[in-house]
Amino acid sequence: MLIVSCPNCGITAEETEFHAHGEAHITRHAADSSDDQMETYLFMRKNPKGVHFERWRHQNGCGKWFHMARCTMTLEVFGTYSAQTYAPPEELLAQIDAKRPGWRTPS
Amino acid sequence: MSEAVSALKNAVYIAGIAEISEMGAVGMITLRGDLAAKPLQKAAVAAAGVNVPDQRQCLTEGTGGMAWMSPDELLIMCAYDDANAKLADLRDKLAGTHALAVNVSDARAVFEVRGPKAREVMAKLAPVDLAPASFTPGMFRRTRIAQVPAAFWMPQEGVFRVVCFRSVAQYVFDVLCVAAQPGSEVGVF
């Protein structure tokens, strides 16, 4: 069971109040892109064992979207942050670096 | 015009560890927009008769009231018969601003859970910390009741008001009654 804090309304609740919507920070390729780019955008996902960035929605709460960094192996939630961003905040990345050294180069 | 009735026509359940009752038709207006904008705040206060509540709070005064729903949404409560007039007034006042106001009275059902064990009844159904120190009167919480979305607040200690969609009113009433059935005290609070 994940304990999630919504950065939009400030509520901390367990995961049944929220809904996961897949990998975060995916570059959206539009209609004029190549077939390879479109394939990457639509289908290619990371599925790592360890640190993963995801889009979540506070489904049964304020209804807003946000991002979450968590570990797919231990289910530890590293933190949540605004949906209005292209990349995770630096301080969150630093926290993850401290907890999971070497996570940026998956084995 | 046809006669407006609430979802469960004031159904009550008094045999259990807390009293469950449907509140009948309650006027509700959803207001979305920039909650920091002065014109919106003014119009909302005029319609609800209370100040704009802080984040995750609810203020009520008689039949009027206002709840913080999300960073861009307020729920204005009033007497059912006043909702359309208040809505017209709101729209009038907000004509020049980017805001949305809709009368959702008929899309909702409101329940009251009353009694010293009301906290236990709610705690069985919602994933919320309902310890007296954590959830206090005046707080407003959008969450789920068993399998459906709902919101609730405590106008005073020992009383919960629950708002849900009208389409699931019977379900919410039924699960509240089951959670309040005689002999089901847990004794945690």
Side-chain angles (χ1 to χ4, degrees):
Chain A
M1 177 80 55
L2 305 175
I3 304 293
V4 182
S5 291
C6 174
N8 299 303
C9 65
I11 277 175
T12 299
E14 45 100 333
E15 65 181 272
T16 62
E17 210 175 283
F18 300 85
H19 199 286
H21 288 266
E23 190 181 324
H25 310 304
I26 288 167
T27 306
R28 187 186 190 285
H29 292 289
D32 57 354
S33 57
S34 70
D35 284 357
D36 279 354
Q37 283 176 323
M38 195 52 117
E39 188 205 17
T40 306
Y41 163 52
L42 288 177
F43 303 115
M44 305 313 262
R45 297 295 181 266
K46 288 195 179 106
N47 193 25
K49 180 184 178 185
V51 179
H52 195 220
F53 298 91
E54 294 169 338
R55 300 161 73 230
W56 281 69
R57 184 171 169 258
H58 198 175
Q59 190 99 332
N60 288 330
C62 66
K64 301 293 177 198
W65 291 80
F66 58 94
H67 283 139
M68 178 157 94
R70 70 177 183 102
C71 179
T72 58
M73 190 167 63
T74 65
L75 301 189
E76 177 179 0
V77 175
F78 299 113
T80 55
Y81 51 99
S82 164
Q84 282 73 40
T85 178
Y86 292 114
E90 283 307 320
E91 61 265 29
L92 181 62
L93 290 173
Q95 277 177 38
I96 300 172
D97 281 336
K99 286 177 177 168
R100 299 280 190 282
W103 70 273
R104 289 175 201 244
T105 47
S107 51
Chain B
M1 205 177 135
S2 54
E3 182 200 353
V5 292
S6 67
L8 302 182
K9 298 184 182 169
N10 298 74
V12 290
Y13 174 75
I14 50 168
I17 59 172
E19 265 179 49
I20 319 288
S21 52
E22 201 232 11
M23 301 283 293
V26 175
M28 287 191 187
I29 296 167
T30 281
L31 176 62
R32 299 195 82 143
D34 177 6
L35 301 192
K38 284 276 178 284
L40 185 138
Q41 289 181 348
K42 264 185 158 172
V45 169
V50 295
N51 283 328
V52 177
D54 291 335
Q55 192 182 35
R56 302 192 303 277
Q57 299 287 312
C58 176
L59 296 169
T60 49
E61 175 87 49
T63 55
M66 190 154 35
W68 189 94
M69 296 288 274
S70 83
D72 60 359
E73 183 177 344
L74 293 170
L75 180 68
I76 294 166
M77 289 171 274
C78 61
Y80 181 85
D81 294 329
D82 298 344
N84 278 328
K86 283 189 188 290
L87 180 69
D89 188 46
L90 254 181
R91 286 187 172 159
D92 214 37
K93 286 179 174 148
L94 294 172
T97 35
H98 182 66
L100 174 78
V102 177
N103 181 355
V104 294
S105 311
D106 295 320
R108 303 277 166 83
V110 188
F111 296 94
E112 187 175 274
V113 182
R114 180 182 283 269
K117 301 284 182 205
R119 275 183 191 274
E120 291 201 353
V121 172
M122 297 304 295
K124 289 180 196 178
L125 299 170
V128 178
D129 182 0
L130 285 164
S134 304
F135 196 84
T136 53
M139 284 186 184
F140 188 82
R141 177 66 191 249
R142 285 177 78 182
T143 181
R144 64 180 173 85
I145 297 277
Q147 299 187 40
V148 296
F152 56 78
W153 76 98
M154 293 177 84
Q156 67 196 65
E157 190 56 49
V159 180
F160 282 86
R161 295 268 165 84
V162 184
V163 179
C164 68
F165 288 114
R166 185 185 179 113
S167 55
V168 294
Q170 186 69 56
Y171 173 83
V172 169
F173 183 72
D174 290 349
V175 287
L176 284 170
C177 292
V178 169
Q181 62 190 305
S184 67
E185 298 92 343
V186 182
V188 283
F189 300 134

